[in-house]
Amino acid sequence: MTTLLKIEGEVAKPLELGFEDLAKLAEAHQVGDVSRLDPKRSGDAVTLAGVLSLAQPKASARYLTLHSSRDDFHASIPLEAVRQKAIFIYRLDGQPLPVGSGGPLRFFVPDHAACHLDDIDECSNVKFVDRIELSAERGFDNRPPDEGTHARLHERQKSD
Ligand SMILES: Nc1nc2c(c(=O)[nH]1)N[C@H]1C(S)=C(S)[C@@H](COP(=O)(O)O)O[C@H]1N2
Ligand SMILES: [Mo]
């Protein structure tokens, strides 16, 4: 099994999950056709709550840190704010989500704020997420700190 996501930190059961583990999560944790939530997104997802039900966060877990080792991008956000609404998009047309769509796994909060307007902003919709960490204190976060850095990040992505 190829690991898509490692779950670490303040959890009773640290885990590694693959595509099939996500695909076989209970129906209640599956979100088919995410374009219903945001017309700019496509594919199928599982809920963060479903993933966390496997790892069992401890009561001390207050922050969720999302890591992408592919491009060294990281965001750390308050867990409670997203616990019941965030999802991981993992499948497109029955296949693993392609890199061009932020795959193989993309974190997504449906009603996020624009970049820089909130902790839970569009920048926190981490693409290529391969590890999540639960912690009592805020974890590592290298989202662009200002508009200039943010604009350069977007420029770089256009030329990729
Ligand atoms: N891994 C990773 N995730 C990321 C980013 C990034 O550079 N790397 N950019 C963020 C920003 S600033 C935005 S606006 C959205 C853009 O997502 P899109 O390319 O799917 O439109 O992804 C966010 N997630
Ligand atoms: Mo952005």
Side-chain angles (χ1 to χ4, degrees):
M1 178 194 84
T2 314
T3 299
L4 283 188
L5 185 67
K6 279 192 198 175
I7 308 170
E8 302 178 333
E10 296 292 302
V11 291
K13 294 188 181 168
L15 292 175
E16 296 190 1
L17 299 174
F19 181 87
E20 291 304 330
D21 297 313
L22 300 181
K24 72 180 190 219
L25 271 174
E27 200 51 44
H29 299 310
Q30 302 286 336
V31 183
D33 187 9
V34 299
S35 72
R36 295 178 297 127
L37 303 175
D38 183 333
K40 294 200 302 263
R41 303 288 154 205
S42 45
D44 304 316
V46 289
T47 62
L48 171 65
V51 167
L52 293 182
S53 71
L54 301 176
Q56 301 173 12
K58 298 181 183 170
S60 51
R62 290 178 51 236
Y63 284 89
L64 172 67
T65 306
L66 303 141
H67 299 280
S68 158
S69 53
R70 183 186 172 90
D71 65 349
D72 193 22
F73 189 89
H74 313 264
S76 190
I77 59 179
L79 177 60
E80 271 328 299
V82 296
R83 196 163 188 160
Q84 300 307 331
K85 63 181 181 184
I87 59 178
F88 291 97
I89 307 173
Y90 74 104
R91 189 168 61 198
L92 184 66
D93 299 329
Q95 299 297 314
L97 188 71
V99 167
S101 305
L105 196 62
R106 185 194 186 129
F107 184 74
F108 190 71
V109 184
D111 46 357
H112 56 77
C115 289
H116 301 313
L117 294 183
D118 191 5
D119 262 351
I120 320 291
D121 62 6
E122 190 168 11
C123 301
S124 64
N125 286 335
V126 176
K127 304 187 261 196
F128 335 119
V129 58
D130 53 8
R131 186 163 65 90
I132 63 174
E133 216 181 331
L134 292 133
S135 56
E137 304 297 329
R138 188 183 289 272
F140 187 59
D141 192 323
N142 66 356
R143 281 180 282 175
D146 53 59
E147 273 307 333
T149 320
H150 179 240
R152 281 193 294 281
L153 176 69
H154 278 265
E155 271 313 308
R156 200 157 68 227
Q157 282 167 346
K158 262 189 268 170
S159 60
D160 275 350

